Amino acid sequence: MTDDFDLVIRGGTVVTAAEQFRADVGISGGRIAAVGASLAGARVLDAGGLLVLPGGVDTHCHIEQLQADGGADEETWETGSRSALAGGTTSVVSFSTQFKGRAIGPSLAEYRRRAGQAMVDYAFHQIVTDPTDAVLNELPGIIASGVRSLKAFLTYDPLRLDDRQYLRVLAAARRHGALVTVHCENYDAIGWMTEALLAAGLTAPQYHAWSRPPVLEREATHRAIALAELVDQPIQVFHVSCPEAADEIARARLRGVRVWGETCPQYFVLSAADMDRPGFEGAKFMCSPAPRDAAATAGLWEAIRLGTLDVVSSDHSGWSYDGPRGKRVNGADASFRDIPNGVPGLASRLPILWSEGVATGRIGLSDFVRLTATQPARLFGLHPRKGSVMPGADADLVLWDPARRTTLTNALMQHVIDYTPYEGLAVTGWPVATVRRGEVVMQDGRVTAQPGSGQYLPVGPYDMIAPRGVLAHGFDPAAACS
Ligand code: URP
Ligand code: ZN
Ligand code: ZN
């Protein structure tokens, strides 16, 4: 045998979104060069008894996200990358922000600068909070630079867009060939519910869930889709937490609307009851939409099986419990309204989905790969470079032990955040090694990648997010006005 490849992953079972088979994987120049039998390499990584999966692609995580005051999330590109690699994720899509009253350009430039420390490969979503004419004029250049998804929040001050602003973002995306991702909850109704709860003295973390019940997620999901349909602009609905919202997506898909749905591990293993833990502990489980109950979780699995929800992302949020911008920033007895939302989950995404999905028989191995790598890569224009095990693709791979039992602890997460909402959760299935562009960057939990070794992934035009060409009366409002 001659050393045909730089590295050979030998003796594992390769799992793709379509099939599973025994094969060696030969890697040269950071790419997969061959998938076959008896390959020889200068270096060999033994995958006997393990699965060989495409590296995870996490298309929704908040890493070192900039804040209006010039600061940023506590989770830096370096620490977030470490956590991602520890958990078997090799590519992420994180968020550049636009601040109301300000241009996108300087903020995106600063975000790019910070991302220079990444150890995973990365692309960006662009949050648009203030679609003025000036900002819309910036968008063609920003999209052309490879930031090909725009993020719209339908709730949260100061990020939310009203319907007219959301339409302007949809229309800009349609004109310039971008996808729109949407946080769907009803802003005014949440504000009204919050006022009522606080007036009744119901301020503890558990009332976060009461302030935003599923009906408000369903309404906003319906509206987000309806307006996208009006403009004929494809969208992805972020972090679907309940079957009511998933049903809106399913109904639209039956009409042929280009809408996709994402969900997250927190909605499989957390519930509203977690926010009712003693003292202020419940704050650790607060995210939006709120975790629901067992019936909602069962409904989400059904939506995954039906294909309505086809991406599982972490929605990793970079706030600690005690940190300077963390859950207790407004004191340990702050009302739920004043507690930052979001839970960390970069490293726990794959183990929780495997444990809750594959190990329980709810989904198959190839479904797991499709949900966590292949479909997110496709939907965000990164495929086939990312999310697949095929010659020519980047050699991003995870060696996965499907039977390994692990009890999650915050130390295992390797993030900068001072807690995990999954402390003590027993999971089956674990990443034993992570390979990023042919380099073994994690083995047995030890991450060896260098800061700055991640690559920016500019996203060019791709067919999947093309409009359908279905417009009421054949009139294209996006072409006629902003
Ligand atoms: O609670 C959440 N999800 N925080 C992160 C920001 C967002 O809404 O995605
Ligand atoms: Zn959101
Ligand atoms: Zn998010």
Side-chain angles (χ1 to χ4, degrees), residues 409-474:
T409 63
N410 197 45
L412 283 174
M413 301 298 101
Q414 300 199 38
H415 51 211
V416 81
I417 308 302
D418 61 2
Y419 81 99
T420 169
Y422 311 116
E423 190 74 41
L425 181 71
V427 292
T428 302
W430 196 253
V432 172
T434 305
V435 177
R436 186 218 55 203
R437 280 181 280 104
E439 186 185 346
V440 182
V441 285
M442 186 281 284
Q443 254 186 304
D444 297 321
R446 208 169 89 79
V447 175
T448 51
Q450 289 304 306
S453 56
Q455 287 185 357
Y456 175 55
L457 302 168
V459 181
Y462 56 105
D463 287 346
M464 193 164 172
I465 60 167
R468 285 194 300 157
V470 176
L471 289 158
H473 309 290

Side-chain angles (χ1 to χ4, degrees), residues 60 151 153 156 183 238-239 288 315:
H60 181 170
K151 166 77 185 285
F153 284 94
Y156 290 148
H183 179 126
F238 266 172
H239 44 43
S288 297
D315 192 7

Side-chain angles (χ1 to χ4, degrees), residues 351-426:
I352 292 177
L353 184 65
W354 187 278
S355 195
E356 293 296 309
V358 184
T360 57
R362 289 180 172 117
I363 57 172
L365 281 68
S366 288
D367 296 322
F368 176 86
V369 167
R370 178 176 50 81
L371 290 160
T372 58
T374 313
Q375 181 67 358
R378 281 188 190 132
L379 190 54
F380 289 92
L382 302 172
H383 192 265
R385 179 173 172 190
K386 302 294 184 186
S388 63
V389 183
M390 66 167 85
D394 280 358
D396 293 345
L397 299 163
V398 189
L399 274 55
W400 187 267
D401 183 342
R404 180 143 144 199
R405 303 269 302 158
T406 307
T407 299
L408 299 187
T409 63
N410 197 45
L412 283 174
M413 301 298 101
Q414 300 199 38
H415 51 211
V416 81
I417 308 302
D418 61 2
Y419 81 99
T420 169
Y422 311 116
E423 190 74 41
L425 181 71

